[in-house]
Amino acid sequence: MWKDKTVSAVLMTYAERDSIRRVIDGFFDLGVVDEVLVVNNNAQEGTAEEVAKTDARQVFEPKQGYGHAIRRGLREATGDLVALVEPDGTFLPADLLKLLAYSDECDMVLGTRTTRELIWAGSNMDFFLKWGNWAVAKLVEILFNTSHLSDVGCTYRLLDRPLAEYIAKNMRIGSSHAGPEIMLLTITSGARFVEIPVNYLPRVGRSSVTGSRLVAFGLGLRMIGLILRFRLRHPGPLPRPGAFDGIEIAPDGHPR
């Protein structure tokens, strides 16, 4: 628990068989995580068996895609605070304590992997990926006049229960560019958020997205298209930070 609030860590897995057990144990070892929930999204053979060796709870999401896995995790998690993280070894479980430190003031705490001093040698954060994530994040910051943003693709995030339920109900993207949609839903809802630096380590195994420069470039273009469409659907002033009250999104894309 964290200040009388239960904490869930949600791990979305597809190709992390060789690292997931260590990551699960790392979150439990923190002493503040009440539940580790693994969303098995048609993961590689042997993943379920590795999870079964731990105290984590595993659910199976048959719809393939990062967004589908996140939505299932947000719906299934039981904690008052819900952390989203990939179990590929690139993130430190201990950095959850940084995110939790801001949970009293914010509805969402976003990690950023673009702080040079916290990018470990050998991690998959070269010039192209670092500045690409930074540039798209700055596009969001400019178009929506938000607080500081420097990494649109960081998957290490902490949400409180009302925002987690709101995101699960209203997100529509099922594929790899679901991360920016979560960010945009948070911004346009009036929820309070802050971004803080987290460590970024070398990945265990190869990523199906950022492992290819061409695939990563295509993903970036889809992110930009999503951001521009979202801004067109929300042309007026946005709710002030702190105005979030579990509002819903209408079919036309506007809060109601």
Side-chain angles (χ1 to χ4, degrees), residues 7-63:
V7 180
S8 294
V10 177
L11 313 180
M12 297 73 64
T13 184
Y14 174 68
E16 295 83 17
R17 177 191 59 205
D18 298 330
S19 58
I20 192 166
R21 185 178 177 185
R22 175 169 56 86
V23 173
I24 291 170
D25 290 340
F27 276 105
F28 278 127
D29 288 345
L30 290 177
V32 298
V33 175
D34 301 274
E35 172 190 51
V36 175
L37 174 68
V38 174
V39 182
N40 188 318
N41 191 210
N42 305 305
Q44 65 190 123
E45 185 177 353
T47 302
E49 289 76 10
E50 287 297 301
V51 175
K53 297 174 184 177
T54 72
D55 292 328
R57 179 166 64 94
Q58 185 170 202
V59 297
F60 294 85
E61 175 50 59
K63 289 184 179 180

Side-chain angles (χ1 to χ4, degrees), residues 15 36 40 53 74 78 83 86-87 94 120 165 192 240 248 254:
V36 175
N40 188 318
K53 297 174 184 177
L74 292 176
T78 61
E86 291 185 87
W120 291 38
E165 293 177 352
R192 300 164 299 171
R240 60 176 178 80
E248 298 181 10
H254 292 275

Side-chain angles (χ1 to χ4, degrees), residues 47-132:
T47 302
E49 289 76 10
E50 287 297 301
V51 175
K53 297 174 184 177
T54 72
D55 292 328
R57 179 166 64 94
Q58 185 170 202
V59 297
F60 294 85
E61 175 50 59
K63 289 184 179 180
Q64 189 62 53
Y66 180 63
H68 294 306
I70 289 178
R71 183 163 51 239
R72 180 67 180 273
L74 292 176
R75 288 173 174 169
E76 293 274 357
T78 61
D80 301 314
L81 299 169
V82 181
L84 299 174
V85 63
E86 291 185 87
D88 57 6
T90 55
F91 296 109
L92 291 177
D95 275 343
L96 177 59
L97 300 175
K98 298 179 185 178
L99 277 62
L100 288 167
Y102 287 87
S103 61
D104 286 343
E105 288 81 26
C106 296
D107 305 297
M108 175 183 280
V109 186
L110 300 159
T112 174
R113 307 159 297 168
T114 58
T115 302
R116 185 180 63 177
E117 289 76 10
L118 299 184
I119 301 174
W120 291 38
S123 64
N124 189 22
M125 187 55 68
D126 59 12
F127 182 92
F128 173 77
L129 289 174
K130 176 182 176 180
W131 293 107

Side-chain angles (χ1 to χ4, degrees), residues 150-163:
S150 63
D151 187 358
V152 74
C154 184
T155 56
Y156 208 166
R157 297 171 173 181
L158 181 72
L159 303 79
D160 64 15
R161 167 54 51 190
L163 184 58

